Amino acid sequence: MERNTRQRDAIRQVFEEVPRPLGPTEVLEYGRSHVAKLGIATVYRTINSLVETGWLVPVELPGEAPRYERSGSAHHHHFRCRACSRVFEIHGCPGDLRDLAPAGFRLESHEVVLYGLCSKCAA
C-alpha cells in the first residue's frame, strides 16, 4: 500500500476537476497549481498505481500514448482536437454496430474516436 502524500492527493484532485482524459504531462501541468514541486516521475508512478487499483482507466487512441480518465463512466467515446491535441469525452454511442462487421464475424466491442477542432480551437 502506498502512502498518501500531497503530491498524490493533487494528482487525484486533477482527475476529479478536469472532465476529460489527460496525459501525464497535462496532469503535471494542472497538478503544479496544487503542488508547485510536483515531478513527472511522481505523476507516472501515481497514474500507474491508480490504474492498478481501478480508480483510473487508460484511454487508448490509435498511434498515441494513452491518456487516463476516472473509471466508472458509462460506455462512451472520445473526440480528439487536431489543433491542441486535447481529448474530450463524447457521451452516448451510435448504438449496435454488429451490421458493420463482415459476414460471419462476431463483434465483441468497439471504440469510436472523432477528430476535428474543439470549440476553443475552432473559434
Side-chain angles (χ1 to χ4, degrees):
M1 177 160 157
E2 295 183 358
R3 64 190 175 115
N4 277 341
T5 64
R6 286 184 36 226
Q7 291 86 358
R8 291 180 190 281
D9 289 342
I11 292 165
R12 281 189 288 270
Q13 190 172 354
V14 165
F15 282 104
E16 290 170 349
E17 292 173 352
V18 181
R20 61 182 184 80
L22 300 171
T25 55
E26 291 175 297
V27 174
L28 179 65
E29 177 185 330
Y30 288 116
R32 284 188 171 160
S33 68
H34 299 290
V35 176
K37 295 195 182 234
L38 182 63
I40 192 70
T42 299
V43 170
Y44 276 104
R45 279 193 306 272
T46 302
I47 286 174
N48 289 335
S49 174
L50 294 172
V51 168
E52 285 176 15
T53 64
W55 197 81
L56 287 178
V57 293
V59 174
E60 307 278 349
L61 298 179
E64 297 190 24
R67 291 168 173 85
Y68 302 88
E69 65 187 3
R70 296 276 314 271
S71 62
S73 295
H75 177 74
H76 64 279
H77 300 288
H78 296 94
F79 180 101
R80 183 185 176 280
C81 179
R82 290 193 187 274
C84 69
S85 300
R86 292 184 299 166
V87 174
F88 302 86
E89 290 185 11
I90 301 171
H91 298 284
C93 180
D96 188 357
L97 301 176
R98 285 181 283 194
D99 291 342
L100 295 177
F105 286 56
R106 184 177 65 204
L107 180 66
E108 295 179 343
S109 67
H110 67 271
E111 292 294 327
V112 176
V113 180
L114 302 178
Y115 297 89
L117 297 177
C118 69
S119 59
K120 183 179 177 184
C121 293

